[in-house]
Amino acid sequence: MCERLEKLCYINLLQFTFLTHDWQKVDSVRSITKFQSFLNTATVSQQIHNDQQWMIEACQLAKYAAQQDEIPIGALLVTAQGERLAAGWNQSIQTHDPTAHAEIVALRAAATAVKNYRLPNTTLYVTLEPCVMCAGAIIHARIQRVVFGAYDAKMGAAGSRFDVLRDTRHNHQVECIGGILQEECGDILRQFFRAKRFK
């Protein structure tokens, strides 16, 4: 697991470098040894651990969505101090609302709680890479980080299909980390759709 996360962090840093054309940063990370040394710092190790723990909770929300016969995606919004601000899961079918994705539900709940549509210095954890619609809402809310589990090759807007969240043409860019508990998050979706096919 640790080795996989190290590779994941390295790939994400290289993706960021390529997208922002920060070639000086490329030179600085060409030394794998230095980068691995960076990964071994207590701060990074703790952040990876925190991301995994929050993603486990997001997975529980996704499973709850599946029980409601909704596409199983869960999301959590967490403050910089490590406090859960809001949670959400897909509710489009039950609410007859095409915008009621897990991310949007969580953002709405958080904005209502703090009485502000801006939610800076927060991290959004979601079990599937956000779509374009959710990415737009994330940018408007000024979310600092998005951490997601499974990649979405067809609709993903955090680097897979589109890269809306890190597009430098926007007045706000979001730090994106993907692949946290990727297999677990993907399995929830696969099991849901497999059960649908055999009904």
Side-chain angles (χ1 to χ4, degrees):
M1 174 65 77
C2 290
E3 184 179 352
R4 192 176 76 179
L5 286 171
E6 285 186 9
K7 290 178 180 177
L8 175 68
C9 291
Y10 183 63
I11 290 168
N12 274 315
L13 184 55
L14 289 180
Q15 283 178 338
F16 171 80
T17 303
F18 175 76
L19 290 164
T20 57
H21 304 289
D22 191 348
W23 305 117
Q24 187 175 0
K25 189 168 286 186
V26 170
D27 291 334
S28 69
V29 299
R30 277 185 179 151
S31 169
I32 304 294
T33 304
K34 286 183 181 178
F35 188 69
Q36 286 178 332
S37 176
F38 164 74
L39 285 171
N40 289 331
T41 62
T43 302
V44 173
S45 296
Q46 185 60 46
Q47 185 64 68
I48 290 172
H49 174 74
N50 291 344
D51 288 347
Q52 289 177 319
Q53 292 303 117
W54 287 116
M55 193 61 73
I56 288 171
E57 288 200 36
C59 284
Q60 294 304 314
L61 293 167
K63 290 175 182 177
Y64 179 77
Q67 293 171 6
Q68 308 302 309
D69 210 29
E70 296 276 0
I71 294 175
I73 300 170
L76 285 167
L77 196 67
V78 178
T79 67
Q81 292 73 39
E83 299 173 355
R84 185 196 335 202
L85 190 56
W89 57 89
N90 270 21
Q91 299 176 32
S92 294
I93 297 170
Q94 287 190 336
T95 61
H96 312 293
D97 180 359
T99 70
H101 288 192
E103 301 95 312
I104 302 291
V105 173
L107 292 177
R108 285 175 178 163
T112 300
V114 301
K115 296 181 171 51
N116 194 335
Y117 74 107
R118 301 291 199 202
L119 302 165
N121 303 316
T122 56
T123 297
L124 180 68
Y125 294 90
V126 60
T127 55
L128 182 68
E129 182 178 358
C131 69
V132 172
M133 175 186 71
C134 293
I138 289 165
I139 290 170
H140 282 298
R142 299 297 190 265
I143 303 301
Q144 182 180 355
R145 298 173 71 231
V146 167
V147 178
F148 63 90
Y151 289 87
D152 186 350
K154 293 182 179 178
M155 299 285 287
S160 288
R161 187 68 174 178
F162 313 99
D163 205 357
V164 176
L165 292 174
R166 295 180 293 192
D167 195 323
T168 55
R169 290 171 294 183
H170 298 307
N171 59 357
H172 177 72
Q173 289 80 44
V174 182
E175 177 189 346
C176 299
I177 299 174
I180 300 296
L181 301 188
Q182 179 177 354
E183 289 301 315
E184 292 86 340
C185 293
D187 281 344
I188 295 170
L189 286 161
R190 284 187 287 271
Q191 289 170 13
F192 177 80
F193 287 114
R194 189 179 299 122
K196 286 283 187 184
R197 284 195 297 271
F198 288 104
K199 269 190 176 180

